[in-house]
Amino acid sequence: MKEYYDTRAPEYDDWYLGVGAFTERNRPGWDEEVRELIRTLGALPAARTLDVACGTGFLTQHLRGDITALDQSERMLAIAGERVQSATLVQGDALDLEFRANSFERVFTGHFYSHLQAPVRERFLGQARRIAPELVVVDAASRPDHECEEWQTRVLNDGSRFEVYKRYFDPADLARELGGGTVLHAGSWFVAVRSRREDLGVSATGRSPSTTALDGAGR
Ligand SMILES: C[S@@+](CC[C@H](N)C(=O)[O-])C[C@H]1O[C@@H](n2cnc3c(N)ncnc32)[C@H](O)[C@@H]1O
């Protein structure tokens, strides 16, 4: 995955912006939903946040508070650093987070969780929970043109090809998978879930106050 994202870094934002290789993609409602997602993230209370796998900082720039942005790719971090000059940048492995327990108020991660296969997923969640009492996950919404879990061949502008593992989420299922939480965004393209330590295990019994928000949010 490192080589793929390092190579993709200069063209990564084309995906958000609908330019370059994405110019011809038919993505109804995409631009509006990107703006809606950005509004949702900007409305989160300011917090001491670790943005795990920040990429180019496209979403990072909208988080409020004291932001630390971590990625394993130097080229991604270089772009993020230009864009979010107030953030502290850390080059590191998202699966080996060397921060003290509770050193942040929130762990945020965008479009990273969907690339993790089961055992690694557990490892990431364990570390995120240790580092902060709140986890916000933004990722891809389930769609008819994709299986909920698949291997994809991705071709970059220079013709290089990479096999990438990817999942697509129903927002309520993602909240349950995180152990409970509140759906912040449930769109055609993206989902966003906030899961706090106090939510953990509660939604499984159906007693969580957030269950109501989960079922109805954003639809
Ligand atoms: C799909 S991009 C997401 C970027 C950004 N968070 C966003 O939502 O646009 C995935 C990012 O994860 C980073 N990444 C992948 N595996 C990683 C790992 N083990 N540790 C740190 N970063 C990783 C990649 O370098 C890439 O920047």
Side-chain angles (χ1 to χ4, degrees):
M1 196 134 85
K2 174 151 189 338
E3 190 191 349
Y4 169 61
Y5 279 112
D6 248 348
T7 311
R8 190 178 168 193
E11 63 194 83
Y12 182 78
D13 289 347
D14 294 357
W15 173 66
Y16 278 119
L17 301 173
V19 300
F22 294 86
T23 310
E24 302 300 326
R25 292 276 178 105
N26 180 25
R27 300 190 296 185
W30 174 272
D31 292 341
E32 294 76 7
E33 208 182 309
V34 169
R35 284 197 288 272
E36 196 184 324
L37 177 64
I38 285 170
R39 273 197 301 277
T40 299
L41 298 182
L44 288 171
R48 203 166 65 252
T49 300
L50 176 66
D51 180 354
V52 174
C54 64
T56 60
F58 189 90
L59 297 181
T60 321
Q61 66 185 322
H62 301 289
L63 301 172
R64 296 190 304 121
D66 181 3
I67 309 296
T68 299
L70 177 143
D71 205 283
Q72 69 180 5
S73 160
E74 302 86 345
R75 297 180 82 194
M76 286 286 190
L77 278 178
I79 298 169
E82 284 291 313
R83 176 174 267 152
V84 198
Q85 297 192 355
S86 56
T88 303
L89 301 184
V90 177
Q91 186 180 7
D93 185 355
L95 304 175
D96 200 5
L97 295 171
E98 294 176 350
F99 297 96
R100 287 192 322 276
N102 296 317
S103 40
F104 293 92
E105 294 168 305
R106 175 184 298 139
V107 167
F108 172 83
T109 192
H111 303 102
F112 171 67
Y113 185 73
S114 54
H115 291 301
L116 304 180
Q117 295 181 70
V120 176
R121 221 178 278 159
E122 290 306 314
R123 179 187 168 100
F124 169 70
L125 288 180
Q127 295 189 13
R129 297 301 188 191
R130 182 180 62 78
I131 287 169
E134 181 178 294
L135 171 65
V136 174
V137 176
V138 169
D139 226 303
S142 53
R143 320 200 305 243
D145 55 336
H146 287 284
E147 299 296 328
C148 59
E149 178 186 35
E150 60 189 28
W151 282 90
Q152 304 175 337
T153 302
R154 300 207 177 166
V155 184
L156 297 180
N157 289 347
D158 65 359
S160 56
R161 301 168 82 83
F162 297 87
E163 297 301 312
V164 174
Y165 173 82
K166 175 78 180 172
R167 297 170 73 207
Y168 295 82
F169 297 98
D170 170 87
D173 287 347
L174 176 59
R176 269 190 286 276
E177 181 172 314
L178 298 180
T182 304
V183 174
L184 302 175
H185 179 89
S188 305
W189 299 102
F190 309 110
V191 298
V193 171
R194 174 171 54 199
S195 176
R196 298 191 174 106
R197 272 193 207 128
E198 66 232 38
D199 296 324
L200 293 182
V202 179
S203 70
T205 67
R207 285 185 285 106
S208 170
S210 60
T211 305
T212 314
L214 254 178
D215 292 342
R219 297 218 182 254

